[in-house]
Amino acid sequence: MSDRESSEGTTRRTVLVTGAALLVVPACTKYGDESSDEVTLRPAPASPTGPGSAQPPAGEVLGTTAEVPDGGGKVFKEQKVVVTQPTQGDFKAFTAICTHQGCIVDKVENGTIDCPCHGSKFRITDGSVARGPAERPLEAKQITVTGDRIRLT
Ligand code: FES
């Protein structure tokens, strides 16, 4: 019985350590907070993007152009990126992390990228604030469109 407990104890500890590491990463990658004391907790960078280490790696395919409606956009929640197409064939990308308190925006509607938490809206053309309480625009992300593939760059 003690062997079993020991084995389970090891497994539980492993899970807790892994969980702790996962909790640390987002806290270290808060946008616009370069002065955070949490920088010392940042794991060794897996990519040269520095603070964007929780962001998808450059070159990752986000999706296809067909997924992003003309005059609208799509939130890629897993990658925390929103891609818009303000005018036909003109694709733009922004972080999906709201500048108010960090919620993930959840929809693109009527020309704005909308946050569900407190109602902030950002313009699909440039990520600027259309309605508060957010005061800062969504950070632009660089993408390339090759054929019908949209990639982060
Ligand atoms: Fe988005 Fe508050 S976190 S509006």
Side-chain angles (χ1 to χ4, degrees):
M1 184 164 162
S2 63
D3 285 340
R4 187 175 193 175
E5 287 174 353
S6 173
S7 174
E8 289 175 2
T10 300
T11 300
R12 180 167 292 146
R13 260 180 262 129
T14 303
V15 169
L16 289 174
V17 167
T18 302
L22 290 174
L23 290 174
V24 168
V25 171
C28 297
T29 57
K30 192 173 173 184
Y31 281 88
D33 190 12
E34 293 298 320
S35 63
S36 171
D37 292 336
E38 296 169 338
V39 168
T40 55
L41 298 175
R42 185 178 296 159
S47 73
T49 56
S53 60
Q55 294 294 305
E60 178 177 336
V61 174
L62 288 173
T64 65
T65 55
E67 296 176 78
V68 183
D70 184 2
K74 176 175 179 170
V75 179
F76 295 90
K77 287 188 179 177
E78 187 176 318
Q79 295 91 350
K80 298 187 176 93
V81 173
V82 56
V83 177
T84 64
Q85 186 180 189
T87 57
Q88 187 173 17
D90 179 27
F91 293 91
K92 298 180 180 292
F94 308 94
T95 179
I97 301 171
C98 181
T99 58
H100 178 230
Q101 290 184 359
C103 289
I104 302 299
V105 298
D106 70 340
K107 67 181 177 186
V108 180
E109 198 172 79
N110 300 322
T112 60
I113 301 161
D114 303 344
C115 180
C117 291
H118 310 100
S120 290
K121 294 178 182 282
F122 305 88
R123 293 179 184 89
I124 64 171
T125 52
D126 59 4
S128 62
V129 176
R131 186 173 100 187
E135 296 179 345
R136 293 176 292 122
L138 294 177
E139 176 190 354
K141 293 291 185 183
Q142 296 298 311
I143 55 171
T144 57
V145 179
T146 307
D148 68 343
R149 304 257 178 200
I150 302 171
R151 294 177 194 272
L152 282 174
T153 54

mmCIF file of all heavy atoms in Angstrom, residues 120-146:
data_model
loop_
_atom_site.group_PDB
_atom_site.id
_atom_site.type_symbol
_atom_site.label_atom_id
_atom_site.label_comp_id
_atom_site.label_asym_id
_atom_site.label_seq_id
_atom_site.Cartn_x
_atom_site.Cartn_y
_atom_site.Cartn_z
ATOM 1 N N SER A 120 -15.764 46.306 -23.929
ATOM 2 C CA SER A 120 -14.890 47.087 -24.804
ATOM 3 C C SER A 120 -15.013 46.600 -26.242
ATOM 4 O O SER A 120 -15.235 45.414 -26.496
ATOM 5 C CB SER A 120 -13.428 46.964 -24.363
ATOM 6 O OG SER A 120 -13.232 47.642 -23.151
ATOM 7 N N LYS A 121 -14.863 47.558 -27.163
ATOM 8 C CA LYS A 121 -14.912 47.241 -28.588
ATOM 9 C C LYS A 121 -13.736 47.920 -29.277
ATOM 10 O O LYS A 121 -13.406 49.066 -28.952
ATOM 11 C CB LYS A 121 -16.224 47.740 -29.204
ATOM 12 C CG LYS A 121 -17.460 47.025 -28.669
ATOM 13 C CD LYS A 121 -18.733 47.588 -29.271
ATOM 14 C CE LYS A 121 -19.969 46.923 -28.710
ATOM 15 N NZ LYS A 121 -20.226 45.615 -29.289
ATOM 16 N N PHE A 122 -13.148 47.196 -30.221
ATOM 17 C CA PHE A 122 -11.975 47.686 -30.939
ATOM 18 C C PHE A 122 -12.266 47.628 -32.432
ATOM 19 O O PHE A 122 -12.839 46.653 -32.924
ATOM 20 C CB PHE A 122 -10.757 46.814 -30.611
ATOM 21 C CG PHE A 122 -10.480 46.706 -29.127
ATOM 22 C CD1 PHE A 122 -11.090 45.719 -28.355
ATOM 23 C CD2 PHE A 122 -9.616 47.596 -28.493
ATOM 24 C CE1 PHE A 122 -10.850 45.617 -26.986
ATOM 25 C CE2 PHE A 122 -9.367 47.509 -27.130
ATOM 26 C CZ PHE A 122 -9.983 46.522 -26.376
ATOM 27 N N ARG A 123 -11.823 48.648 -33.159
ATOM 28 C CA ARG A 123 -12.097 48.697 -34.599
ATOM 29 C C ARG A 123 -11.307 47.623 -35.344
ATOM 30 O O ARG A 123 -10.121 47.411 -35.065
ATOM 31 C CB ARG A 123 -11.746 50.085 -35.137
ATOM 32 C CG ARG A 123 -12.660 51.167 -34.590
ATOM 33 C CD ARG A 123 -12.285 52.552 -35.099
ATOM 34 N NE ARG A 123 -13.126 53.561 -34.465
ATOM 35 C CZ ARG A 123 -12.821 54.170 -33.302
ATOM 36 N NH1 ARG A 123 -11.687 53.891 -32.683
ATOM 37 N NH2 ARG A 123 -13.656 55.040 -32.771
ATOM 38 N N ILE A 124 -11.979 47.008 -36.326
ATOM 39 C CA ILE A 124 -11.320 45.945 -37.090
ATOM 40 C C ILE A 124 -10.247 46.503 -38.017
ATOM 41 O O ILE A 124 -9.388 45.770 -38.479
ATOM 42 C CB ILE A 124 -12.323 45.089 -37.903
ATOM 43 C CG1 ILE A 124 -13.027 45.934 -38.969
ATOM 44 C CG2 ILE A 124 -13.309 44.398 -36.986
ATOM 45 C CD1 ILE A 124 -13.859 45.093 -39.946
ATOM 46 N N THR A 125 -10.292 47.803 -38.286
ATOM 47 C CA THR A 125 -9.334 48.394 -39.222
ATOM 48 C C THR A 125 -7.945 48.556 -38.619
ATOM 49 O O THR A 125 -6.942 48.348 -39.293
ATOM 50 C CB THR A 125 -9.826 49.777 -39.679
ATOM 51 O OG1 THR A 125 -10.142 50.556 -38.514
ATOM 52 C CG2 THR A 125 -11.056 49.661 -40.551
ATOM 53 N N ASP A 126 -7.905 48.946 -37.331
ATOM 54 C CA ASP A 126 -6.596 49.228 -36.724
ATOM 55 C C ASP A 126 -6.484 48.824 -35.252
ATOM 56 O O ASP A 126 -5.464 49.083 -34.613
ATOM 57 C CB ASP A 126 -6.260 50.716 -36.881
ATOM 58 C CG ASP A 126 -7.299 51.628 -36.225
ATOM 59 O OD1 ASP A 126 -8.255 51.114 -35.583
ATOM 60 O OD2 ASP A 126 -7.157 52.849 -36.350
ATOM 61 N N GLY A 127 -7.500 48.195 -34.723
ATOM 62 C CA GLY A 127 -7.458 47.760 -33.323
ATOM 63 C C GLY A 127 -7.695 48.876 -32.326
ATOM 64 O O GLY A 127 -7.628 48.651 -31.113
ATOM 65 N N SER A 128 -7.981 50.082 -32.808
ATOM 66 C CA SER A 128 -8.190 51.206 -31.893
ATOM 67 C C SER A 128 -9.499 51.022 -31.115
ATOM 68 O O SER A 128 -10.394 50.281 -31.539
ATOM 69 C CB SER A 128 -8.204 52.525 -32.661
ATOM 70 O OG SER A 128 -9.276 52.545 -33.581
ATOM 71 N N VAL A 129 -9.588 51.713 -29.995
ATOM 72 C CA VAL A 129 -10.749 51.582 -29.128
ATOM 73 C C VAL A 129 -11.951 52.291 -29.741
ATOM 74 O O VAL A 129 -11.886 53.472 -30.076
ATOM 75 C CB VAL A 129 -10.451 52.173 -27.723
ATOM 76 C CG1 VAL A 129 -11.698 52.124 -26.847
ATOM 77 C CG2 VAL A 129 -9.289 51.433 -27.067
ATOM 78 N N ALA A 130 -13.035 51.552 -29.907
ATOM 79 C CA ALA A 130 -14.286 52.144 -30.377
ATOM 80 C C ALA A 130 -15.203 52.409 -29.188
ATOM 81 O O ALA A 130 -16.030 53.303 -29.218
ATOM 82 C CB ALA A 130 -14.977 51.207 -31.364
ATOM 83 N N ARG A 131 -15.040 51.616 -28.138
ATOM 84 C CA ARG A 131 -15.828 51.802 -26.912
ATOM 85 C C ARG A 131 -15.050 51.226 -25.730
ATOM 86 O O ARG A 131 -14.468 50.153 -25.832
ATOM 87 C CB ARG A 131 -17.166 51.079 -27.038
ATOM 88 C CG ARG A 131 -18.091 51.371 -25.834
ATOM 89 C CD ARG A 131 -19.453 50.800 -26.029
ATOM 90 N NE ARG A 131 -19.552 49.546 -25.292
ATOM 91 C CZ ARG A 131 -20.577 48.715 -25.363
ATOM 92 N NH1 ARG A 131 -21.585 48.969 -26.158
ATOM 93 N NH2 ARG A 131 -20.608 47.622 -24.665
ATOM 94 N N GLY A 132 -15.010 51.968 -24.646
ATOM 95 C CA GLY A 132 -14.307 51.543 -23.440
ATOM 96 C C GLY A 132 -15.083 50.494 -22.686
ATOM 97 O O GLY A 132 -16.092 50.013 -23.184
ATOM 98 N N PRO A 133 -14.572 50.141 -21.558
ATOM 99 C CA PRO A 133 -13.600 50.846 -20.728
ATOM 100 C C PRO A 133 -12.135 50.743 -21.175
ATOM 101 O O PRO A 133 -11.290 51.455 -20.645
ATOM 102 C CB PRO A 133 -13.779 50.212 -19.335
ATOM 103 C CG PRO A 133 -14.269 48.834 -19.626
ATOM 104 C CD PRO A 133 -15.130 48.966 -20.855
ATOM 105 N N ALA A 134 -11.802 49.892 -22.109
ATOM 106 C CA ALA A 134 -10.406 49.831 -22.554
ATOM 107 C C ALA A 134 -9.991 51.209 -23.066
ATOM 108 O O ALA A 134 -10.797 51.925 -23.674
ATOM 109 C CB ALA A 134 -10.251 48.780 -23.647
ATOM 110 N N GLU A 135 -8.740 51.556 -22.824
ATOM 111 C CA GLU A 135 -8.238 52.866 -23.264
ATOM 112 C C GLU A 135 -7.135 52.738 -24.310
ATOM 113 O O GLU A 135 -6.800 53.710 -24.969
ATOM 114 C CB GLU A 135 -7.709 53.646 -22.056
ATOM 115 C CG GLU A 135 -8.799 53.965 -21.048
ATOM 116 C CD GLU A 135 -8.275 54.714 -19.837
ATOM 117 O OE1 GLU A 135 -7.042 54.741 -19.621
ATOM 118 O OE2 GLU A 135 -9.108 55.266 -19.094
ATOM 119 N N ARG A 136 -6.555 51.539 -24.406
ATOM 120 C CA ARG A 136 -5.455 51.332 -25.355
ATOM 121 C C ARG A 136 -5.896 50.376 -26.467
ATOM 122 O O ARG A 136 -6.687 49.469 -26.227
ATOM 123 C CB ARG A 136 -4.233 50.747 -24.634
ATOM 124 C CG ARG A 136 -3.609 51.732 -23.640
ATOM 125 C CD ARG A 136 -2.465 51.126 -22.859
ATOM 126 N NE ARG A 136 -2.973 50.095 -21.943
ATOM 127 C CZ ARG A 136 -2.578 48.832 -21.942
ATOM 128 N NH1 ARG A 136 -1.660 48.425 -22.779
ATOM 129 N NH2 ARG A 136 -3.093 47.964 -21.102
ATOM 130 N N PRO A 137 -5.341 50.562 -27.667
ATOM 131 C CA PRO A 137 -5.713 49.683 -28.791
ATOM 132 C C PRO A 137 -5.154 48.274 -28.614
ATOM 133 O O PRO A 137 -4.225 48.048 -27.834
ATOM 134 C CB PRO A 137 -5.055 50.377 -29.993
ATOM 135 C CG PRO A 137 -3.901 51.128 -29.411
ATOM 136 C CD PRO A 137 -4.356 51.568 -28.038
ATOM 137 N N LEU A 138 -5.729 47.357 -29.364
ATOM 138 C CA LEU A 138 -5.176 46.007 -29.402
ATOM 139 C C LEU A 138 -3.846 46.062 -30.138
ATOM 140 O O LEU A 138 -3.724 46.733 -31.178
ATOM 141 C CB LEU A 138 -6.125 45.051 -30.141
ATOM 142 C CG LEU A 138 -7.477 44.795 -29.472
ATOM 143 C CD1 LEU A 138 -8.322 43.892 -30.369
ATOM 144 C CD2 LEU A 138 -7.304 44.160 -28.099
ATOM 145 N N GLU A 139 -2.877 45.346 -29.636
ATOM 146 C CA GLU A 139 -1.554 45.305 -30.278
ATOM 147 C C GLU A 139 -1.661 44.599 -31.626
ATOM 148 O O GLU A 139 -2.256 43.522 -31.725
ATOM 149 C CB GLU A 139 -0.579 44.546 -29.375
ATOM 150 C CG GLU A 139 0.795 44.367 -29.976
ATOM 151 C CD GLU A 139 1.647 43.409 -29.155
ATOM 152 O OE1 GLU A 139 1.210 42.983 -28.078
ATOM 153 O OE2 GLU A 139 2.740 43.067 -29.620
ATOM 154 N N ALA A 140 -1.087 45.215 -32.653
ATOM 155 C CA ALA A 140 -1.088 44.600 -33.982
ATOM 156 C C ALA A 140 -0.133 43.414 -34.020
ATOM 157 O O ALA A 140 0.895 43.403 -33.338
ATOM 158 C CB ALA A 140 -0.682 45.627 -35.026
ATOM 159 N N LYS A 141 -0.493 42.409 -34.772
ATOM 160 C CA LYS A 141 0.361 41.239 -35.011
ATOM 161 C C LYS A 141 0.687 41.191 -36.495
ATOM 162 O O LYS A 141 -0.117 41.604 -37.328
ATOM 163 C CB LYS A 141 -0.378 39.954 -34.594
ATOM 164 C CG LYS A 141 -0.635 39.847 -33.115
ATOM 165 C CD LYS A 141 0.660 39.647 -32.393
ATOM 166 C CE LYS A 141 0.462 39.415 -30.919
ATOM 167 N NZ LYS A 141 1.751 39.295 -30.225
ATOM 168 N N GLN A 142 1.853 40.684 -36.804
ATOM 169 C CA GLN A 142 2.263 40.577 -38.198
ATOM 170 C C GLN A 142 1.838 39.230 -38.761
ATOM 171 O O GLN A 142 2.083 38.187 -38.148
ATOM 172 C CB GLN A 142 3.788 40.719 -38.317
ATOM 173 C CG GLN A 142 4.302 42.084 -37.884
ATOM 174 C CD GLN A 142 3.759 43.209 -38.742
ATOM 175 O OE1 GLN A 142 3.800 43.150 -39.951
ATOM 176 N NE2 GLN A 142 3.225 44.236 -38.095
ATOM 177 N N ILE A 143 1.202 39.284 -39.907
ATOM 178 C CA ILE A 143 0.807 38.051 -40.583
ATOM 179 C C ILE A 143 1.208 38.129 -42.046
ATOM 180 O O ILE A 143 1.442 39.218 -42.577
ATOM 181 C CB ILE A 143 -0.722 37.791 -40.486
ATOM 182 C CG1 ILE A 143 -1.506 38.992 -41.020
ATOM 183 C CG2 ILE A 143 -1.122 37.422 -39.091
ATOM 184 C CD1 ILE A 143 -2.997 38.719 -41.164
ATOM 185 N N THR A 144 1.268 36.982 -42.658
ATOM 186 C CA THR A 144 1.432 36.924 -44.104
ATOM 187 C C THR A 144 0.338 36.005 -44.644
ATOM 188 O O THR A 144 -0.060 35.047 -43.970
ATOM 189 C CB THR A 144 2.804 36.377 -44.535
ATOM 190 O OG1 THR A 144 2.986 35.087 -43.957
ATOM 191 C CG2 THR A 144 3.930 37.296 -44.101
ATOM 192 N N VAL A 145 -0.122 36.331 -45.807
ATOM 193 C CA VAL A 145 -1.126 35.510 -46.460
ATOM 194 C C VAL A 145 -0.489 34.932 -47.714
ATOM 195 O O VAL A 145 -0.060 35.671 -48.605
ATOM 196 C CB VAL A 145 -2.382 36.325 -46.820
ATOM 197 C CG1 VAL A 145 -3.408 35.447 -47.527
ATOM 198 C CG2 VAL A 145 -2.979 36.948 -45.565
ATOM 199 N N THR A 146 -0.383 33.629 -47.735
ATOM 200 C CA THR A 146 0.193 32.939 -48.882
ATOM 201 C C THR A 146 -0.872 31.991 -49.418
ATOM 202 O O THR A 146 -1.260 31.045 -48.729
ATOM 203 C CB THR A 146 1.447 32.140 -48.471
ATOM 204 O OG1 THR A 146 2.342 33.012 -47.795
ATOM 205 C CG2 THR A 146 2.131 31.543 -49.695
#
